[in-house]
Amino acid sequence: MSTEINKNISSKVLPSGEDLGGAKQEYNITVYTENQIGLLNRIAIIFTRRKINIDSLNTSPSEIESIHRFNIVINETEDVVRKLARQIEKQVEVLKVYYHTNADIIWQEMALYKVPADIIAEKASVERLLRENGARAVVIRKDYIVFETTGHREETDNLINVLQPFGLIEFVRSARIAIIKDSDGFNRKLREFEKREPGEDVIENEYLNQRDKVFTM
Amino acid sequence: MEVAQQDVLTAPEKQTVTELSGSVALLEALLVEGVDTIFGYPGGAIMPIYDALYDYKEKLNHILVRHEQGGIHAGQGYARSSGKVGVVFATSGPGATNLVTGLADAQIDSTPLVCITGQVFAHLLGTDAFQETDVINITTPVTKWNYQVTDANEIPEAIAKAFYIARTGRPGPVLIDITKNAQIQKFDFKGYTPCNHIRSYRPKPIVRAQFIEQAAQVINEAKKPFILWGQGVLLGSAEQEFKTFVEKSGIPAAWTILGAGAIPTDHPQNVGMLGMHGNYGPNVLTNECDVLIAIGMRFDDRVTGRLDKYAKQAKVIHLDIDPAEIDKNVQTHVAVWGDCKETLPMLTELVEAKQHTEWLAKFDEFTRQEEEAVINAELNPQTGEMTMGEVVEQLNHLTNGDAVIVTDVGQHQMVGCRYAKFNNTRSNITSGGLGTMGFALPAAIGAKFGAQDKTVVAIIGDGGFQMTLQELGTIMQSGVDVKILILNNRFLGMVRQWQELFNERRYSFVDIQSPDFVQVAKGYGIAGKCIKERDELQSSLKEMLDHKGSFLLEVFVTKENNVFPMVPQGCSVSEIRLK
Ligand SMILES: Cc1ncc(C[n+]2csc(CCOP(=O)(O)OP(=O)(O)O)c2C)c(N)n1
């Protein structure tokens, strides 16, 4: 696996040729980008234009200030995913794109569950719940408790099923984040890259709050 | 650096020589980028830029168009004929949305453009202010890059990036949306430096010698190799490199409509046009060659027909600057990523000098059949009415194949591309990928500004002409010399052809009426003539070409003529029909 941050897609990164039977499966697309307004839209429309649903999308700053990392999960054939990856990599502000099957990555999703404190305390053994589901209590208040679990979809789904009868008040799940098993020295390469070519600051619109003070025509 | 006149909208403040308004900085940037012509249309949100332009009249030739769509097509015509970046100005809201068709056209045909749109004041963004439109989001799918400027300090860098991105790698349209406050705002202008590097952007992939070696080996072992070339050859200014490759390898070569002219029509190895209305031989033999060498072309569906029956027997070698094109439509055997100006000489070096005489003769045999079945009747009709083909053929005689031919979209476009002679590169300008009716008239205006020493002839259908005929006003006012040849078949011909062939002649809304085009031209002070008889054809074409200034010639042609050969929808290229 090449981890070079450049836009010359090596055939290793985006394998061409072998056909995986054309069967659809989950693919994880990892995109390193500049931190730029509008880029999320530019990337998203590559999927919408082809009428492909994005199952999960996580975007956040990477460990390097000016570089963002997207994790995008879709259910598609490898052929489609490879073409999508090339279209994404073609965008001016995209540094690098990789794609992987679930077997090639270690992935996690985080879930939060808010449940009424009294029933839980009364009817379920909180301790057992936590232990059996690998959960953690994040907040314990008189009126409600918030639990957290992290794991694969089945794992976080499990606790919903358990808590539902006890009056689950609110549930939220994060997008998927993933670490690539075969990646080698990503962090080091990114840092070297940033040192060689520092990123630029994002310029936001600073005038939005001055509306009342300005008269224009 | 000169300072613009006091801007009325800003409070008077002390100016230093380096204090410029955003608008003046923009115009200074354009001058450094070598811009000489701008096509545009003013409005409230771009008024500061137009105000600054008033003082730059001598240096920047601004052509006032009649509609922003006309402006952007003119920019495209300019870019295509000159090889430079076309520049277009439009105001916010409706001005900007009128650019969308041209942006989509330029994006799919890889035309380098920098469009500058005015935008409402930054503090009004998102408030549904008068003439505010979300131009960035509307144009994202149809631009190579776009950016919104809300502060004058951003202007120099944004413009520098815009030009760099528009013209490098696979070229394309770029849009910069500048809020009105940023146009007015004075800032400390530190000079303009063109951009030549963006860290996340690699215009060209690195050329890998091993793939060139592999390609050369496959070519050297081939018995029936076949070259398909597209606009990439022109965009890379690699015409000479391409010719050398073709001549040394001795391989027959066919073109996509955007590739026309890279080598002359009469070149002995030029075997014709590919695709739906292309020539018989190159289409059929695509399914017989053993190696297909695609250069700077993108296997558009109008070229390939059914993909599952396309060149399955051949090993495909694809040379392209855009890695995303490789394997997009046709699976390649050897992919040669890179600028063909660099890769072609490397390949030529390794390719054995050969003459594929027998293989070339096969193309001749198909040409003979096509002549018999289609071409002779089209070019030398025995009927009373004129055909589109004979008009183009007469034009060839008079221009010697040296004119820039701009076509609109429809039957006349296919006939124009099939029968016009192209001796020179950048001489065929047409809307290939988007197929935009209304393209030709404004594009021809731009093409003339981009190639002022050339004769520019716009070949347009009666339908398409009516889509943007308001640009006759632009011709009138700018005095540009464009020859307008309307081939009037009193139908939306291409749609009618499909209805005839595939919808049992149910001619649903294709019977189009036209005004007296010569009278219309006259209203704009443009000379014109309308002819219906063959014996007037040659002299009238000559009159048009000899006329000083623009001239409109309307030729009545057969109503229900069809363009053949044709690869019907859903068929393979070898199923091309001669009638
Ligand atoms: C803007 C636009 N609208 C519709 C079409 C669909 N279309 C393609 S060819 C054609 C007919 C063109 O008729 P005309 O301009 O008279 O040219 P002809 O085919 O008769 O030469 C139409 C309607 C198009 N290509 N572009």
Side-chain angles (χ1 to χ4, degrees), chain B residues 107-394:
Chain B
Q107 171 88 336
I108 196 163
D109 280 354
S110 311
T111 308
L113 288 184
V114 170
C115 297
I116 308 289
T117 48
Q119 180 55 279
V120 301
F121 282 84
H123 65 271
L124 294 175
L125 287 172
T127 65
D128 299 323
F130 177 66
Q131 293 196 330
E132 187 213 350
T133 316
D134 184 357
V135 175
I136 292 299
N137 279 309
I138 289 176
T139 61
T140 294
V142 289
T143 49
K144 185 173 173 187
W145 187 69
N146 61 10
Y147 188 78
Q148 186 171 61
V149 170
T150 49
D151 187 301
N153 285 288
E154 297 179 76
I155 286 179
E157 198 186 326
I159 299 300
K161 277 183 162 179
F163 274 90
Y164 177 59
I165 292 167
R167 71 173 153 235
T168 51
R170 179 176 181 169
V174 168
L175 182 137
I176 304 289
D177 192 40
I178 309 180
T179 57
K180 199 168 175 181
N181 58 300
Q183 300 169 38
I184 296 165
Q185 183 191 344
K186 296 267 166 46
F187 74 112
D188 189 10
F189 181 65
K190 298 190 183 72
Y192 179 80
T193 328
C195 172
N196 58 18
H197 176 77
I198 296 171
R199 76 169 185 176
S200 57
Y201 173 60
R202 297 287 172 274
K204 325 174 182 185
I206 290 168
V207 175
R208 287 160 204 250
Q210 84 253 35
F211 294 121
I212 303 217
E213 284 157 21
Q214 273 178 32
Q217 194 188 345
V218 172
I219 293 170
N220 288 337
E221 285 164 4
K223 296 273 175 295
K224 294 191 272 182
F226 184 24
I227 295 168
L228 314 182
W229 91 83
Q231 198 195 192
V233 175
L234 282 64
L235 292 170
S237 302
E239 294 88 346
Q240 193 51 52
E241 290 80 357
F242 176 64
K243 188 159 174 263
T244 313
F245 170 71
V246 169
E247 289 176 352
K248 182 178 181 195
S249 67
I251 302 172
W255 42 279
T256 72
I257 60 170
L258 290 192
I263 55 173
T265 307
D266 288 335
H267 190 284
Q269 282 166 258
N270 183 340
V271 294
M273 171 172 149
L274 293 161
M276 184 173 271
H277 291 290
N279 293 112
Y280 195 34
N283 273 305
V284 174
L285 294 174
T286 298
N287 277 353
E288 198 180 312
C289 66
D290 56 358
V291 173
L292 200 62
I293 308 150
I295 305 175
M297 58 86 76
R298 57 188 181 85
F299 292 109
D300 183 88
D301 55 273
R302 281 293 191 271
V303 162
T304 62
R306 251 180 95 149
L307 272 178
D308 63 343
K309 293 186 178 171
Y310 183 77
K312 286 291 166 203
Q313 79 296 340
K315 286 182 176 165
V316 177
I317 298 170
H318 194 172
L319 285 74
D320 209 292
I321 198 164
D322 179 358
E325 285 303 333
I326 306 291
D327 295 339
K328 188 181 83 178
N329 296 326
V330 171
Q331 198 69 31
T332 46
H333 189 75
V334 185
V336 181
W337 296 338
D339 183 342
C340 60
K341 189 153 181 97
E342 288 168 47
T343 54
L344 277 172
M346 294 167 78
L347 193 55
T348 307
E349 178 83 35
L350 300 178
V351 161
E352 291 162 11
K354 278 192 187 162
Q355 283 178 328
H356 291 276
T357 323
E358 264 174 56
W359 173 226
L360 260 166
K362 260 201 124 154
F363 286 87
D364 294 342
E365 171 55 22
F366 279 99
T367 307
R368 208 190 47 70
Q369 289 178 32
E370 186 178 338
E371 270 170 2
E372 211 168 85
V374 181
I375 300 176
N376 287 342
E378 182 68 34
L379 300 189
N380 310 295
Q382 302 304 311
T383 56
E385 289 177 310
M386 283 183 274
T387 62
M388 291 183 178
E390 69 175 314
V391 180
V392 175
E393 179 73 353
Q394 283 300 327

Side-chain angles (χ1 to χ4, degrees), chain A:
Chain A
M1 171 73 54
S2 154
T3 56
E4 236 175 290
I5 304 294
N6 66 44
K7 299 195 71 179
N8 299 304
I9 318 164
S10 83
S11 50
K12 265 194 202 155
V13 178
L14 296 177
S16 76
E18 357 80 84
D19 192 10
L20 294 182
K24 286 192 181 185
Q25 60 171 314
E26 270 189 356
Y27 276 95
N28 300 267
I29 302 174
T30 308
V31 188
Y32 285 98
T33 74
E34 297 288 355
N35 179 14
Q36 266 297 330
I37 293 165
L39 193 57
L40 173 62
N41 187 31
R42 242 180 211 283
I43 291 174
I45 60 178
I46 291 171
F47 297 87
T48 43
R49 178 178 177 190
R50 292 164 178 78
K51 207 174 181 222
I52 292 172
N53 184 39
I54 294 177
D55 289 335
S56 166
L57 183 148
N58 178 73
T59 163
S60 63
S62 71
E63 65 270 39
I64 309 294
E65 203 186 322
S66 64
I67 297 175
H68 273 225
R69 182 172 167 153
F70 286 59
N71 276 279
I72 304 169
V73 183
I74 60 166
N75 196 1
E76 260 305 335
T77 61
E78 187 186 354
D79 192 43
V80 169
V81 174
R82 186 191 312 128
K83 287 172 187 171
L84 286 167
R86 285 189 179 162
Q87 295 296 337
I88 297 169
E89 188 150 75
K90 194 170 147 171
Q91 303 306 314
V92 168
E93 280 136 349
V94 171
L95 294 155
K96 193 75 197 148
V97 180
Y98 302 92
Y99 69 82
H100 295 92
T101 61
N102 286 347
D104 298 333
I105 58 158
I106 291 154
W107 62 273
Q108 294 281 277
E109 288 169 359
M110 184 189 182
L112 296 177
Y113 314 74
K114 180 173 162 186
V115 280
D118 48 354
I119 313 184
I120 290 286
E122 201 178 300
K123 299 227 172 116
S125 153
V126 174
E127 239 173 86
R128 235 184 71 206
L129 259 180
L130 297 180
R131 240 184 285 114
E132 281 180 4
N133 294 281
R136 197 160 71 83
V138 186
V139 165
I140 302 171
R141 288 182 29 157
K142 265 209 276 346
D143 44 348
Y144 63 79
I145 302 177
V146 175
F147 295 115
E148 175 259 351
T149 61
T150 305
H152 285 197
R153 187 69 52 89
E154 314 86 78
E155 293 158 342
T156 48
D157 274 353
N158 254 349
L159 194 56
I160 304 182
N161 294 335
V162 175
L163 292 176
Q164 197 72 58
F166 300 115
L168 181 64
I169 302 169
E170 197 179 334
F171 170 75
V172 63
R173 178 157 39 216
S174 77
R176 178 184 298 187
I177 56 170
I179 289 257
I180 301 164
K181 287 182 183 167
D182 269 353
S183 62
D184 174 29
F186 257 20
N187 172 56
R188 181 174 46 82
K189 295 252 173 174
L190 272 179
R191 285 190 186 280
E192 282 168 9
F193 175 73
E194 160 73 12
K195 219 164 120 196
R196 230 177 23 246
E197 293 191 51
E200 292 163 19
D201 291 338
V202 187
I203 300 165
E204 294 198 38
N205 180 8
E206 302 198 350
Y207 302 90
L208 281 177
N209 294 327
Q210 300 174 15
R211 201 172 163 202
D212 304 341
K213 298 188 204 101
V214 192
F215 171 77
T216 55
M217 57 168 282

Side-chain angles (χ1 to χ4, degrees), chain B residues 388 408-412 435-437 461-465 467 487 489 491-495:
Chain B
M388 291 183 178
D408 209 71
V409 172
Q411 291 184 312
H412 65 280
T436 306
M437 280 173 77
D462 43 323
F465 186 68
M467 281 209 173
L487 301 182
N489 56 4
F491 267 124
L492 297 174
M494 187 57 96
V495 179

